[in-house]
Amino acid sequence: MFQVMHFHTRDQGGDTFNFYLRYRYRNGLPSARYPNFVDIRQMLLTYMRPKRTQYIEVLNTRICTRIKQHFPLQAISCQFQAYHGVDPGYRSSIVTIGNIEPLAIPK
C-alpha cells in the first residue's frame, strides 16, 4: 500500500486529493518482476495532470482500472479523497477490482 497526500490540482474545481492504493501481485509472480511503487505512483499523477472534469468516482474507476491493466496485479483497491476547502469535509470514492479487501480510510 502507498499513499499520495495533498495533491493539489487547478482542475476538478481546485480540489486537493489524497490517494490511497493497496494492491496484490499476481500469484506466482517472481519478486524480480514486482513493480516499483514509484512507477505506479507516477502513472497515477501523470493521469491527474491533464484537465480532468469527471466525477471523482469516474476518475477513480478509470485510473484504478488502468493501473491494474498496466502492472502485474491480481487485485487493487483505490481510495480517492477530494477536498475543495469550502465543503464540510472530504468526498471519497473507493474502487476495488479483484479479490482484495476494499480500502476504507477515514480522514
Side-chain angles (χ1 to χ4, degrees), residues 23 25-37 39-40 69-73:
Y23 44 87
Y25 302 120
R26 289 184 188 149
N27 288 333
L29 184 70
S31 59
R33 293 205 43 227
Y34 287 6
N36 187 328
F37 87 92
D39 296 331
I40 298 172
Q69 291 171 343
H70 186 79
F71 294 97
L73 304 178

Side-chain angles (χ1 to χ4, degrees), residues 7 23 26-27 50 54 65 78 83 85 94 100 106:
F7 179 82
Y23 44 87
R26 289 184 188 149
N27 288 333
Q54 304 103 322
T65 300
C78 307
Y83 182 65
I94 300 170
I100 193 170

